[in-house]
């Protein structure tokens, strides 16, 4: 702690582990089981509770509460954790809860994530790398969010929902069903409105692979068969495409939850006019 700066109005309880070059501003409270990485900045009025690990390079804004007890009546007070990765930005009023004892027991957040004001990560969630939550996003317990996902302001995700990597959830969407990788969902309740073409381009995906995914998704949701039954046909038709194989693996995973699908009669958008790569 010799190279760190702790404001005299803040409380760092005995047992907390503070890395190098940490700045803790006024009126913060760091609990005895907290582990704070190197080069972390807590601006002011930040509360870190329970067995919470905050990775190197994080920046946390006022009134964020990290590592609070799970909001789950099944939790009986056992030891559970929250682990937040490197270089995350946590804006004002964000809340993240630890896991639930007797369940997964830990909440995890990946590297390079951004959580805008008043967003919430519930107990036992698993958040990937490079994820962005816009203002007031709320996700229930046991939600899984893949890498490179963007969730628009005010969106809400039902507990146990899975959001595949590179997906986009529109603002104010109410997501009660799984979101396929690369998918873009909107509405209340959310439906599949197409693919996150912009996100795929930003991640450097090759144009032929984007086209493979577009054709594969149209085939998956053509309503000639249930989606899971159609998955095998899609795998065979696009056997040389790693991205399609990844999509099919998500579809065929052992889960009882259905998927966000296109509205009846609308289908998936088929034009390539928005693909100018």
């Amino acid at each position: 702690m010799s190279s760190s700066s702790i404001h005299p109005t803040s409380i760092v309880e005995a047992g907390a582990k503070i890395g190098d070059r940490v700045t803790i501003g006024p009126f913060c409270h760091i609990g005895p089981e907290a582990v704070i990485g190197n080069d972390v900045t807590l601006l002011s009025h930040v509360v870190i509770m329970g067995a919470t690990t905050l990775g190197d390079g994080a920046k946390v804004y006022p009134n964020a509460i990290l590592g609070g007890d799970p909001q789950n009546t099944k939790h009986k007070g056992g030891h559970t954790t929250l682990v937040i990765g490197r270089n995350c930005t946590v804006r004002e009023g964000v809340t993240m809860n630890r896991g639930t004892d007797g369940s997964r027991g830990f909440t995890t957040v990946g590297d390079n994530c951004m959580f805008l004001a008043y967003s919430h990560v519930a107990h036992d969630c698993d958040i990937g790398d490079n994820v962005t939550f816009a203002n007031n996003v709320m996700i229930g317990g046991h939600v899984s969010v893949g890498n490179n996902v963007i969730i628009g302001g005010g969106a809400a995700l039902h507990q146990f929902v899975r959001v595949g990597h590179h997906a986009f959830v529109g603002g104010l969407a109410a997501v009660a069903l799984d979101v396929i990788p690369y998918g873009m969902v909107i509405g209340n309740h959310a439906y599949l409105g197409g693919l996150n073409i912009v996100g795929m381009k930003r991640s450097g995906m090759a144009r032929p692979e984007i086209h493979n995914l577009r054709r594969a998704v149209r085939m998956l949701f053509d309503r000639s068969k249930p989606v899971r039954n159609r998955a095998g046909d899609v795998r065979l038709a696009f056997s040389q495409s790693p991205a399609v194989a990844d999509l099919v693996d998500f579809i065929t995973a052992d889960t009882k939850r259905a998927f966000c699908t296109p509205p009846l009669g609308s289908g998936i958008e088929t034009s390539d006019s928005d693909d100018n790569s």
Side-chain angles (χ1 to χ4, degrees), residues 159-250:
Q159 59 262 37
F160 292 99
V161 157
R162 297 180 302 148
V163 179
H165 58 81
H166 293 85
F168 180 89
V169 177
L172 300 178
V175 184
L177 303 174
D178 288 349
V179 180
I180 62 172
Y182 312 104
M184 180 174 64
V185 300
I186 53 178
N188 183 1
H189 283 47
Y191 63 87
L192 187 65
L195 291 178
N196 184 17
I197 302 297
V198 172
M200 288 188 278
K201 289 179 180 179
R202 287 176 177 170
S203 71
M205 181 176 286
R207 183 173 180 175
E209 194 73 322
I210 293 175
H211 288 315
N212 283 337
L213 281 165
R214 299 179 82 156
R215 291 191 291 268
V217 167
R218 288 198 291 269
M219 187 174 174
L220 270 171
F221 295 101
D222 70 359
R223 301 189 185 278
S224 63
K225 296 180 182 179
V227 175
R228 286 190 174 90
N229 293 351
R230 201 75 165 108
D233 300 335
V234 172
R235 191 188 295 275
L236 288 174
F238 297 91
S239 59
Q240 302 304 309
S241 170
V244 173
D246 184 52
L247 173 62
V248 171
D249 287 343
F250 185 93

Side-chain angles (χ1 to χ4, degrees), residues 184 195-198 201 214 269-277:
M184 180 174 64
L195 291 178
N196 184 17
I197 302 297
V198 172
K201 289 179 180 179
R214 299 179 82 156
E269 179 275 330
T270 59
S271 170
D272 288 344
S273 60
D274 63 339
D275 186 1
N276 297 316
S277 57

Side-chain angles (χ1 to χ4, degrees), residues 29-276:
H29 187 171
I30 314 302
E33 295 184 271
V35 178
I36 309 298
N38 300 325
D39 303 298
V40 168
T41 299
L42 311 181
L43 290 179
S44 73
H45 297 83
V46 174
V47 177
I48 300 182
M49 305 171 65
T52 295
T53 298
L54 186 58
D56 295 348
K59 188 172 186 179
V60 185
Y61 284 72
N63 301 309
I65 302 176
L66 306 179
D69 290 345
Q71 298 176 100
N72 185 343
T73 58
K74 296 180 180 178
H75 183 67
K76 304 305 180 185
H79 188 270
T80 59
T81 64
L82 166 66
V83 177
I84 301 170
R86 297 171 297 162
N87 301 316
C88 289
T89 298
V90 180
R91 293 301 304 251
E92 297 84 354
V94 169
T95 52
M96 299 185 187
N97 297 157
R98 303 189 316 278
T100 305
D101 54 13
S103 184
R104 186 170 186 253
F106 52 97
T107 301
T108 51
V109 174
D111 298 335
N112 307 308
C113 294
M114 179 175 286
F115 299 89
L116 300 190
Y118 302 101
S119 54
H120 173 67
V121 177
H123 59 87
D124 303 289
C125 288
D126 181 20
I127 312 299
D129 299 331
N130 308 304
V131 170
T132 298
F133 281 26
N135 294 49
N136 299 299
V137 167
M138 302 172 289
I139 66 172
H142 300 273
V143 167
S144 173
V145 178
N147 297 335
N148 301 289
V149 168
I150 297 175
I151 304 180
L157 277 61
H158 193 279
Q159 59 262 37
F160 292 99
V161 157
R162 297 180 302 148
V163 179
H165 58 81
H166 293 85
F168 180 89
V169 177
L172 300 178
V175 184
L177 303 174
D178 288 349
V179 180
I180 62 172
Y182 312 104
M184 180 174 64
V185 300
I186 53 178
N188 183 1
H189 283 47
Y191 63 87
L192 187 65
L195 291 178
N196 184 17
I197 302 297
V198 172
M200 288 188 278
K201 289 179 180 179
R202 287 176 177 170
S203 71
M205 181 176 286
R207 183 173 180 175
E209 194 73 322
I210 293 175
H211 288 315
N212 283 337
L213 281 165
R214 299 179 82 156
R215 291 191 291 268
V217 167
R218 288 198 291 269
M219 187 174 174
L220 270 171
F221 295 101
D222 70 359
R223 301 189 185 278
S224 63
K225 296 180 182 179
V227 175
R228 286 190 174 90
N229 293 351
R230 201 75 165 108
D233 300 335
V234 172
R235 191 188 295 275
L236 288 174
F238 297 91
S239 59
Q240 302 304 309
S241 170
V244 173
D246 184 52
L247 173 62
V248 171
D249 287 343
F250 185 93
I251 292 288
T252 56
D254 184 16
T255 176
K256 296 180 180 179
R257 190 171 295 275
F259 305 94
C260 292
T261 62
L264 186 64
S266 66
I268 289 285
E269 179 275 330
T270 59
S271 170
D272 288 344
S273 60
D274 63 339
D275 186 1
N276 297 316

